């Protein structure tokens, strides 16, 4: 088992190796920092798009209007059946009388004459159901279910908005996946090349250790520590730049489009900074280990 003194020795060896190649190490940290910063930006775009989409989805309602001659018992039965549907989050029965009173309250301040006219006519509004759903992608099935009932005259929902949301979500996922793949591949290539340079600079030392029968773990540990350290520094650099850029962007965006519901600065940037540092360090150690094992096991 690795003890603390061995850990210190590995870290010191890693720091010595990094200092022996200051320019290469600085460039490596910079490249790692840039790739992790871009990863943070892309993830933030995806998360904010999902955040906006979810908020819009939560505001979408399905309205089902009953026929004027529909019996209350049938309307309540339909409500109970729809309430048991897996995609229905909440369902509200709106009585025609309540709907008329709500309409009057809407027009009472700006158009009192209209309210007076409404009092003189028979209520033309039907009973209805207002349904909140869980998954907008299943909205079509919910609407189809409502349309099956003979007492339901009309089903209304924002079809174009739903279709636009689904299209936007699909496009965002495809684009983000593509760019994330490129960034991850670039970072892996960068770290593996760093590992190869470090292995090359220690080639004689490694060959001697192998000749003397040293375990592979003894050879890999300092290189692993070097990869983790470079990843930590690069990730920390990316996190610092990301915090500044995201904070400025959100502040500017809220000033220009205050109605746009973006993810708040805090505590989001703290979580994302932590993720960038941990992922960067983890990828650094993993890629270096893979490159070193490939070198040790080659024929």
């Amino acid at each position: 088992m690795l003890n603390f003194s061995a850990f210190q020795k590995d870290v010191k060896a890693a720091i010595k190796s990094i200092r022996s190649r200051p320019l290469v190490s600085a460039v490596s940290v910079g490249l790692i920092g840039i790739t992790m910063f871009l990863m943070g930006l892309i993830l933030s775009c995806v998360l904010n798009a999902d955040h906006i989409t979810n908020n819009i989805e939560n505001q979408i309602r399905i309205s089902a209007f009953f026929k004027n001659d529909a019996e209350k018992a049938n309307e309540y039965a339909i409500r109970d059946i729809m309430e048991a549907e897996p995609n229905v989050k909440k369902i509200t029965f709106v009585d025609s009388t309540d709907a008329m009173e709500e309409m009057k309250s809407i027009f009472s301040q700006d158009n009192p004459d209209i309210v007076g006219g409404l009092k003189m006519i028979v209520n033309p509004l039907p009973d209805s159901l207002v349904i909140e759903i869980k998954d907008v992608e299943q909205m079509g099935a919910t609407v189809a279910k409502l349309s099956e009932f003979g007492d339901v005259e009309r089903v209304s929902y924002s079809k174009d908005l739903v279709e636009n949301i689904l299209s936007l979500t699909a496009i965002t996922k495809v684009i983000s996946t593509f760019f994330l793949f490129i960034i991850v591949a670039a970072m892996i290539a960068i770290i593996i090349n760093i590992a190869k340079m470090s292995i090359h600079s220690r080639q004689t030392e490694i060959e001697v250790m192998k000749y003397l029968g040293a375990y592979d773990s003894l050879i890999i540990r300092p290189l692993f520590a070097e990869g983790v350290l470079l990843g930590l520094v690069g990730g920390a650099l990316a996190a610092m730049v990301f915090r500044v850029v995201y904070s400025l962007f959100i502040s500017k965006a809220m000033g220009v489009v205050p109605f746009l519901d973006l993810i708040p600065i805090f505590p989001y940037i703290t979580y994302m900074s932590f993720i960038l540092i941990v992922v960067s360090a983890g990828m650094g150690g993993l890629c270096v280990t893979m490159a070193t094992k490939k070198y040790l096991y080659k024929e």
Side-chain angles (χ1 to χ4, degrees):
M1 181 177 289
L2 180 64
N3 55 39
F4 184 71
S5 60
F7 171 76
Q8 282 184 312
K9 184 178 179 181
D10 293 336
V11 172
K12 288 180 180 178
I15 294 173
K16 182 180 178 181
S17 177
I18 292 172
R19 287 180 174 177
S20 66
R21 296 173 286 115
L23 180 60
V24 173
S25 299
V27 172
S28 302
V29 168
L31 291 173
I32 292 172
I34 290 171
T35 54
M36 292 307 300
F37 169 70
L38 293 175
M39 181 182 292
L41 285 184
I42 292 175
L43 285 174
S44 296
C45 290
V46 174
L47 293 173
N48 273 288
D50 284 342
H51 184 72
I52 294 171
T53 302
N54 289 333
N55 286 333
I56 294 174
E57 288 179 357
N58 290 333
Q59 297 174 25
I60 293 176
R61 303 288 185 269
I62 300 174
S63 296
F65 299 96
F66 293 107
K67 294 179 179 178
N68 289 328
D69 58 353
E71 296 183 2
K72 289 287 186 184
N74 292 339
E75 294 176 353
Y76 291 145
I78 293 172
R79 179 197 60 185
D80 295 340
I81 292 171
M82 292 305 302
E83 197 168 23
E85 285 290 304
N87 194 39
V88 173
K89 179 165 58 177
K90 182 180 178 182
I91 186 166
T92 304
F93 181 85
V94 181
D95 187 87
S96 59
T97 303
D98 295 334
M100 176 59 77
E101 291 301 321
E102 184 177 355
M103 181 179 289
K104 290 178 182 178
S105 66
I106 292 173
F107 290 114
S108 60
Q109 294 181 352
D110 299 329
N111 300 281
D113 294 337
I114 294 178
V115 175
L118 291 174
K119 292 179 180 178
M120 299 174 63
I121 63 174
V122 177
N123 185 359
L125 300 178
D127 296 336
S128 63
L129 296 175
V130 178
I131 301 172
E132 299 178 30
I133 59 171
K134 297 176 183 177
D135 185 3
V136 71
E137 294 185 6
Q138 303 298 322
M139 178 175 279
T142 306
V143 171
K145 179 70 174 178
L146 278 167
S147 302
E148 292 176 359
F149 298 107
D151 286 322
V152 175
E153 183 173 26
R154 179 168 58 92
V155 179
S156 174
Y157 71 106
S158 304
K159 183 178 180 181
D160 292 338
L161 178 60
V162 171
E163 291 177 351
N164 290 335
I165 289 174
L166 294 177
S167 298
L168 176 62
T169 303
I171 292 171
T172 302
K173 288 179 180 178
V174 171
I175 294 175
S176 61
T177 301
F178 173 74
F179 281 108
L180 280 175
F181 176 79
I182 292 176
I183 289 174
V184 171
M187 185 170 179
I188 290 173
I190 291 168
I191 296 174
I192 287 179
N193 282 319
I194 294 170
K196 287 180 179 179
M197 286 187 289
S198 184
I199 291 170
H200 180 74
S201 66
R202 299 183 182 184
Q203 191 169 3
T204 302
E205 178 186 348
I206 292 173
E207 292 298 331
V208 171
M209 293 177 71
K210 288 175 64 179
Y211 180 77
L212 294 175
Y215 291 113
D216 289 344
S217 60
L218 189 63
I219 301 172
I220 292 173
R221 279 189 343 231
L223 294 169
F224 171 81
E226 183 177 342
V228 171
L229 285 175
L230 290 173
L232 276 174
V233 177
L237 179 65
M240 287 188 291
V241 177
F242 173 80
R243 290 175 72 91
V244 174
V245 171
Y246 188 81
S247 299
L248 289 174
F249 171 76
I250 293 297
S251 300
K252 294 290 184 181
M254 296 307 294
V256 177
V257 280
F259 58 86
L260 196 61
D261 190 10
L262 298 171
I263 300 176
I265 297 174
F266 296 101
Y268 174 74
I269 58 172
T270 302
Y271 296 149
M272 183 56 71
S273 297
F274 176 76
I275 291 171
L276 292 177
I277 293 172
V278 171
V279 170
S280 182
M283 288 185 65
L286 179 62
C287 292
V288 168
T289 301
M290 291 170 57
T292 307
K293 284 185 175 182
K294 184 178 179 180
Y295 172 80
L296 293 175
Y297 298 155
K298 72 177 181 179
E299 296 180 0

